[in-house]
Amino acid sequence: MPAYAVAHLHDVDVNAGIVEYLKRIDATFTEFGGRFIVHGGEQRAVEGPADSYVVVVEFPDYQAAQAWYDSPAYQAIVALRTENSVGVAVIADGCGADHVATDILGPAAG
């Protein structure tokens, strides 16, 4: 099942560090089967900081997403992002097509 690396970034300083990060990040996905699902394009903050951006990268599974984040190639550039933006980054397992919101409550919720 696919997994996702999701970043919610704001106060992004588009400077030489961010430009370098953007030039190098695509190559870090190759070994782990990652690809951008959401990156750039039109976004509108409906809650929270108005200057925020969401980025979503899909991986074949949770282990691949975690391995990508921990990889030497990504770790070599992650500071270029974290030193030039504020945000949260999460690796999350996907859910199946038949998932409904109450599934997270477990069987006891009935």
Side-chain angles (χ1 to χ4, degrees):
M1 178 174 314
Y4 302 89
V6 180
H8 181 213
L9 307 174
H10 58 95
D11 298 324
V12 179
D13 184 5
V14 181
N15 59 29
I18 288 292
V19 170
E20 182 67 18
Y21 177 84
L22 293 171
K23 287 180 177 180
R24 295 172 60 186
I25 191 168
D26 292 298
T28 69
F29 298 150
T30 305
E31 179 181 348
F32 305 100
R35 68 182 184 99
F36 283 112
I37 299 296
V38 175
H39 190 240
E42 188 171 346
Q43 296 188 14
R44 179 179 143 242
V46 294
E47 297 179 18
D51 66 340
S52 64
Y53 302 94
V54 174
V55 178
V56 180
V57 180
E58 182 180 61
F59 291 89
D61 55 40
Y62 188 86
Q63 292 75 18
Q66 189 65 54
W68 162 76
Y69 186 85
D70 294 337
S71 72
Y74 188 68
Q75 288 302 305
I77 66 169
V78 68
L80 295 170
R81 177 182 51 79
T82 60
E83 292 173 1
N84 295 293
S85 65
V86 177
V88 175
V90 176
I91 293 176
D93 229 350
C95 54
D98 59 344
H99 178 85
V100 294
T102 54
D103 287 350
I104 66 166
L105 300 175

